[in-house]
Amino acid sequence: MTRTALVTGGTRGIGAAIATMLKANGYKVAANYAGNDNAAKAFTDETGIPTYKWSVADYDGCVEGIAKVESDLGPIEVLVNNAGITRDAMFHKMTRENWKDVMSTNLDGLFNMTHPIWTGMRERKFGRVINISSINGQKGQMGQANYSAAKAGDIGFTKSLAQEGARAGITVNAICPGYIATEMVMAVPEKVRDSIIAGIPVGRLGEPEEIARTVLFLAADDASFINGATMTVNGGQYIT
Ligand code: CAA
Protein backbone atom coordinates (compact mmCIF):
# COMPACT_ATOMS: atom_id res chain seq x y z
CA MET A 1 0.00 0.00 0.00
CA THR A 2 1.34 3.42 -0.93
CA ARG A 3 0.97 5.84 1.94
CA THR A 4 0.92 9.62 1.57
CA ALA A 5 3.23 11.77 3.67
CA LEU A 6 3.50 15.51 4.18
CA VAL A 7 6.70 17.01 5.56
CA THR A 8 6.66 20.62 6.74
CA GLY A 9 9.84 22.58 6.18
CA GLY A 10 10.52 19.77 3.76
CA THR A 11 12.73 21.40 1.15
CA ARG A 12 15.88 22.09 3.16
CA GLY A 13 17.95 20.61 5.96
CA ILE A 14 16.48 17.79 8.01
CA GLY A 15 13.08 18.11 6.29
CA ALA A 16 14.57 17.59 2.84
CA ALA A 17 16.34 14.45 4.04
CA ILE A 18 13.08 13.15 5.54
CA ALA A 19 11.05 13.83 2.39
CA THR A 20 13.70 12.24 0.19
CA MET A 21 14.02 9.13 2.35
CA LEU A 22 10.24 8.63 2.55
CA LYS A 23 10.00 8.87 -1.24
CA ALA A 24 12.88 6.42 -1.70
CA ASN A 25 10.93 4.00 0.49
CA GLY A 26 7.73 4.12 -1.52
CA TYR A 27 5.75 6.94 0.06
CA LYS A 28 3.90 9.56 -1.97
CA VAL A 29 5.44 12.72 -0.53
CA ALA A 30 4.59 16.41 -0.45
CA ALA A 31 7.03 18.96 0.95
CA ASN A 32 5.77 22.19 2.45
CA TYR A 33 7.93 25.31 2.75
CA ALA A 34 7.32 28.88 3.85
CA GLY A 35 9.72 31.22 2.13
CA ASN A 36 12.65 30.11 0.01
CA ASP A 37 11.28 29.61 -3.53
CA ASN A 38 14.70 28.97 -5.07
CA ALA A 39 15.51 26.19 -2.62
CA ALA A 40 12.06 24.66 -3.21
CA LYS A 41 12.48 24.68 -6.97
CA ALA A 42 15.97 23.17 -6.74
CA PHE A 43 14.60 20.51 -4.39
CA THR A 44 11.78 19.51 -6.78
CA ASP A 45 14.17 19.50 -9.75
CA GLU A 46 16.49 17.17 -7.89
CA THR A 47 13.98 14.83 -6.24
CA GLY A 48 10.72 15.09 -8.20
CA ILE A 49 8.91 15.79 -4.89
CA PRO A 50 6.19 18.46 -5.28
CA THR A 51 6.43 21.46 -3.00
CA TYR A 52 3.65 23.58 -1.51
CA LYS A 53 4.12 27.05 -0.07
CA TRP A 54 2.43 28.23 3.10
CA SER A 55 3.43 29.20 6.62
CA VAL A 56 2.70 26.70 9.38
CA ALA A 57 2.22 29.74 11.63
CA ASP A 58 -0.98 30.60 9.72
CA TYR A 59 -3.95 28.32 10.53
CA ASP A 60 -6.03 29.29 7.48
CA GLY A 61 -2.99 28.86 5.24
CA CYS A 62 -2.53 25.35 6.66
CA VAL A 63 -6.16 24.41 6.01
CA GLU A 64 -5.92 25.65 2.43
CA GLY A 65 -2.50 24.07 1.79
CA ILE A 66 -3.50 20.72 3.25
CA ALA A 67 -6.64 20.65 1.08
CA LYS A 68 -4.50 21.24 -2.01
CA VAL A 69 -2.04 18.48 -1.08
CA GLU A 70 -4.91 16.06 -0.39
CA SER A 71 -6.61 16.84 -3.67
CA ASP A 72 -3.32 16.21 -5.52
CA LEU A 73 -2.01 13.17 -3.62
CA GLY A 74 -4.84 11.79 -1.49
CA PRO A 75 -5.46 11.82 2.28
CA ILE A 76 -2.40 12.53 4.38
CA GLU A 77 -1.55 9.46 6.44
CA VAL A 78 1.88 10.50 7.70
CA LEU A 79 2.41 14.04 8.96
CA VAL A 80 5.93 15.13 9.83
CA ASN A 81 5.89 18.42 11.73
CA ASN A 82 9.44 19.46 11.01
CA ALA A 83 9.27 23.19 10.18
CA GLY A 84 11.16 25.24 12.70
CA ILE A 85 13.08 28.47 13.07
CA THR A 86 15.56 29.98 15.50
CA ARG A 87 15.78 33.54 16.78
CA ASP A 88 18.61 32.96 19.24
CA ALA A 89 19.48 35.68 21.73
CA MET A 90 20.45 35.84 25.35
CA PHE A 91 17.24 36.47 27.28
CA HIS A 92 18.22 39.99 28.31
CA LYS A 93 18.50 40.82 24.60
CA MET A 94 15.51 38.77 23.40
CA THR A 95 12.66 40.80 21.92
CA ARG A 96 8.95 39.99 22.10
CA GLU A 97 9.14 39.46 18.36
CA ASN A 98 11.93 36.86 18.79
CA TRP A 99 9.68 35.07 21.26
CA LYS A 100 6.49 35.28 19.20
CA ASP A 101 8.07 34.26 15.89
CA VAL A 102 9.52 31.10 17.39
CA MET A 103 6.33 30.22 19.27
CA SER A 104 4.17 30.77 16.18
CA THR A 105 6.20 28.48 13.97
CA ASN A 106 7.66 25.93 16.36
CA LEU A 107 4.69 25.42 18.69
CA ASP A 108 1.51 26.89 17.14
CA GLY A 109 2.64 25.25 13.90
CA LEU A 110 1.97 21.81 15.39
CA PHE A 111 -1.60 22.75 16.28
CA ASN A 112 -2.17 24.46 12.94
CA MET A 113 -0.96 21.49 10.91
CA THR A 114 -2.24 18.59 12.98
CA HIS A 115 -5.72 19.93 13.76
CA PRO A 116 -7.01 20.01 10.15
CA ILE A 117 -5.58 16.53 9.43
CA TRP A 118 -6.62 14.83 12.69
CA THR A 119 -10.31 14.21 11.94
CA GLY A 120 -9.51 12.45 8.67
CA MET A 121 -6.92 10.24 10.38
CA ARG A 122 -9.49 9.32 13.05
CA GLU A 123 -12.11 8.46 10.45
CA ARG A 124 -9.68 6.34 8.42
CA LYS A 125 -8.39 4.65 11.60
CA PHE A 126 -4.77 5.20 10.67
CA GLY A 127 -2.26 7.96 11.16
CA ARG A 128 1.32 8.73 11.99
CA VAL A 129 2.17 12.14 13.43
CA ILE A 130 5.89 12.66 13.94
CA ASN A 131 6.97 15.88 15.62
CA ILE A 132 10.53 17.08 15.28
CA SER A 133 11.36 18.56 18.67
CA SER A 134 14.96 19.12 19.79
CA ILE A 135 17.61 18.21 22.32
CA ASN A 136 17.19 21.79 23.50
CA GLY A 137 13.55 21.16 24.37
CA GLN A 138 14.84 18.44 26.71
CA LYS A 139 17.84 20.09 28.33
CA GLY A 140 17.43 23.84 27.63
CA GLN A 141 20.08 25.94 25.93
CA MET A 142 21.56 29.31 26.72
CA GLY A 143 20.47 31.78 24.04
CA GLN A 144 17.32 29.76 23.29
CA ALA A 145 14.69 30.45 25.96
CA ASN A 146 12.14 30.85 23.15
CA TYR A 147 13.19 27.81 21.10
CA SER A 148 13.64 25.52 24.10
CA ALA A 149 10.22 26.49 25.49
CA ALA A 150 8.53 25.80 22.15
CA LYS A 151 10.35 22.51 21.63
CA ALA A 152 9.50 21.36 25.17
CA GLY A 153 5.90 22.27 24.34
CA ASP A 154 6.10 20.02 21.29
CA ILE A 155 6.89 17.10 23.58
CA GLY A 156 3.88 17.80 25.82
CA PHE A 157 1.66 18.08 22.75
CA THR A 158 3.00 14.73 21.53
CA LYS A 159 2.34 12.95 24.82
CA SER A 160 -1.25 14.20 25.07
CA LEU A 161 -2.21 13.56 21.49
CA ALA A 162 -0.66 10.09 21.61
CA GLN A 163 -3.22 9.13 24.24
CA GLU A 164 -6.12 10.59 22.25
CA GLY A 165 -5.21 9.00 18.92
CA ALA A 166 -4.29 5.52 20.12
CA ARG A 167 -7.75 3.97 19.83
CA ALA A 168 -8.14 5.36 16.32
CA GLY A 169 -4.94 3.72 15.05
CA ILE A 170 -2.97 6.95 15.18
CA THR A 171 0.45 7.13 16.78
CA VAL A 172 2.07 10.41 17.77
CA ASN A 173 5.76 10.50 18.54
CA ALA A 174 8.49 13.09 18.93
CA ILE A 175 12.08 12.96 17.78
CA CYS A 176 14.64 15.13 19.52
CA PRO A 177 17.56 15.68 17.18
CA GLY A 178 20.82 16.84 18.65
CA TYR A 179 23.07 19.15 16.68
CA ILE A 180 22.76 18.18 13.02
CA ALA A 181 24.92 19.53 10.19
CA THR A 182 22.39 21.93 8.67
CA GLU A 183 22.35 25.66 7.89
CA MET A 184 20.64 26.26 11.24
CA VAL A 185 23.53 24.82 13.22
CA MET A 186 26.16 26.31 10.90
CA ALA A 187 24.70 29.74 11.78
CA VAL A 188 25.87 29.26 15.39
CA PRO A 189 29.09 31.25 16.00
CA GLU A 190 32.07 28.98 15.29
CA LYS A 191 33.55 29.25 18.77
CA VAL A 192 30.24 28.27 20.38
CA ARG A 193 29.69 25.49 17.84
CA ASP A 194 33.13 24.02 18.52
CA SER A 195 32.40 23.94 22.25
CA ILE A 196 29.08 22.19 21.55
CA ILE A 197 30.74 19.57 19.32
CA ALA A 198 33.32 18.94 22.04
CA GLY A 199 30.41 17.86 24.26
CA ILE A 200 29.05 15.27 21.82
CA PRO A 201 30.40 11.83 22.74
CA VAL A 202 30.44 10.59 19.12
CA GLY A 203 32.63 13.60 18.35
CA ARG A 204 30.73 15.02 15.41
CA LEU A 205 27.51 16.68 14.29
CA GLY A 206 24.71 14.39 13.17
CA GLU A 207 23.66 14.01 9.54
CA PRO A 208 20.11 14.90 8.39
CA GLU A 209 19.72 11.32 7.11
CA GLU A 210 20.18 10.06 10.67
CA ILE A 211 16.98 11.85 11.63
CA ALA A 212 15.25 10.76 8.42
CA ARG A 213 15.79 7.09 9.16
CA THR A 214 14.20 7.57 12.59
CA VAL A 215 11.16 9.11 10.90
CA LEU A 216 10.98 6.19 8.48
CA PHE A 217 11.05 3.76 11.40
CA LEU A 218 8.22 5.55 13.24
CA ALA A 219 6.11 5.99 10.10
CA ALA A 220 5.92 2.29 9.34
CA ASP A 221 2.63 0.42 9.72
CA ASP A 222 4.33 -2.07 12.04
CA ALA A 223 5.55 0.69 14.38
CA SER A 224 2.03 0.78 15.81
CA PHE A 225 3.08 0.00 19.40
CA ILE A 226 5.47 2.96 19.54
CA ASN A 227 3.26 5.78 20.73
CA GLY A 228 3.95 8.90 22.76
CA ALA A 229 7.70 8.28 22.65
CA THR A 230 10.39 10.93 22.72
CA MET A 231 13.28 9.53 20.71
CA THR A 232 16.63 11.17 21.31
CA VAL A 233 19.00 11.12 18.35
CA ASN A 234 21.90 13.20 19.54
CA GLY A 235 25.16 11.25 19.55
CA GLY A 236 24.95 10.84 23.32
CA GLN A 237 25.13 14.59 24.02
CA TYR A 238 22.17 14.41 26.41
CA ILE A 239 20.95 11.08 27.71
CA THR A 240 17.45 11.03 29.14
N1 CAA B 1 27.71 26.95 25.05
C1 CAA B 1 28.71 27.52 25.73
N2 CAA B 1 28.89 28.84 25.77
C2 CAA B 1 28.03 29.62 25.12
C3 CAA B 1 26.94 29.09 24.40
C4 CAA B 1 26.82 27.70 24.38
N3 CAA B 1 25.85 27.09 23.72
N4 CAA B 1 26.27 30.10 23.85
C5 CAA B 1 26.90 31.25 24.23
N5 CAA B 1 27.95 30.95 24.97
C6 CAA B 1 28.89 31.89 25.59
C7 CAA B 1 29.78 32.53 24.52
O1 CAA B 1 30.90 31.71 24.20
C8 CAA B 1 30.19 33.82 25.21
O2 CAA B 1 31.19 33.53 26.14
P1 CAA B 1 32.38 34.58 26.39
O3 CAA B 1 31.71 35.83 26.88
O4 CAA B 1 33.24 33.89 27.41
O5 CAA B 1 33.06 34.76 25.06
C9 CAA B 1 28.94 34.19 25.99
O6 CAA B 1 28.18 32.97 26.15
C10 CAA B 1 28.08 35.21 25.27
O7 CAA B 1 27.85 34.71 23.96
P2 CAA B 1 28.04 35.60 22.67
O8 CAA B 1 29.29 36.44 22.74
O9 CAA B 1 27.91 34.71 21.47
O10 CAA B 1 26.80 36.58 22.83
P3 CAA B 1 25.91 37.17 21.74
O11 CAA B 1 24.89 38.02 22.42
O12 CAA B 1 26.74 37.76 20.63
O13 CAA B 1 25.18 35.90 21.06
C11 CAA B 1 23.87 33.90 21.03
C12 CAA B 1 24.38 35.07 21.87
C13 CAA B 1 23.04 34.44 19.87
C14 CAA B 1 22.99 33.07 21.94
C15 CAA B 1 25.03 33.08 20.48
O14 CAA B 1 25.96 32.78 21.51
C16 CAA B 1 24.57 31.78 19.90
O15 CAA B 1 24.11 31.74 18.77
N6 CAA B 1 24.71 30.68 20.67
C17 CAA B 1 24.30 29.36 20.25
C18 CAA B 1 22.93 29.03 20.71
C19 CAA B 1 22.59 27.65 20.20
O16 CAA B 1 23.17 26.67 20.61
N7 CAA B 1 21.65 27.58 19.25
C20 CAA B 1 21.32 26.34 18.64
C21 CAA B 1 21.02 26.59 17.19
S1 CAA B 1 20.81 25.07 16.29
C22 CAA B 1 19.30 24.54 16.74
O17 CAA B 1 18.56 25.18 17.42
C23 CAA B 1 18.92 23.18 16.26
C24 CAA B 1 18.68 22.28 17.41
O18 CAA B 1 17.54 21.92 17.66
C25 CAA B 1 19.82 21.75 18.17
Side-chain angles (χ1 to χ4, degrees), residues 81-201:
N81 284 314
N82 165 76
I85 60 169
T86 53
R87 295 287 182 271
D88 293 358
M90 294 299 188
F91 191 61
H92 62 281
K93 295 185 194 166
M94 189 174 283
T95 64
R96 290 178 69 188
E97 199 177 18
N98 294 154
W99 176 267
K100 270 166 92 181
D101 286 351
V102 168
M103 285 295 157
S104 302
T105 297
N106 298 12
L107 183 57
D108 294 353
L110 268 61
F111 176 88
N112 297 342
M113 283 301 303
T114 311
H115 194 254
I117 290 174
W118 190 248
T119 300
M121 284 184 170
R122 279 166 52 87
E123 284 166 3
R124 293 187 299 276
K125 299 272 179 275
F126 181 85
R128 296 280 180 267
V129 178
I130 300 164
N131 299 319
I132 307 300
S133 176
S134 166
I135 183 175
N136 293 342
Q138 297 173 296
K139 73 167 188 58
Q141 170 62 54
M142 57 198 297
Q144 287 200 309
N146 50 1
Y147 185 90
S148 299
K151 292 294 187 177
D154 294 345
I155 295 171
F157 174 80
T158 300
K159 289 180 176 178
S160 294
L161 218 53
Q163 296 175 46
E164 292 192 22
R167 273 175 294 177
I170 307 169
T171 65
V172 186
N173 291 289
I175 298 172
C176 289
Y179 281 73
I180 309 297
T182 61
E183 284 170 43
M184 190 183 269
V185 167
M186 291 314 177
V188 171
E190 197 176 355
K191 193 182 85 170
V192 175
R193 198 169 63 237
D194 286 348
S195 82
I196 290 168
I197 294 171
I200 305 175

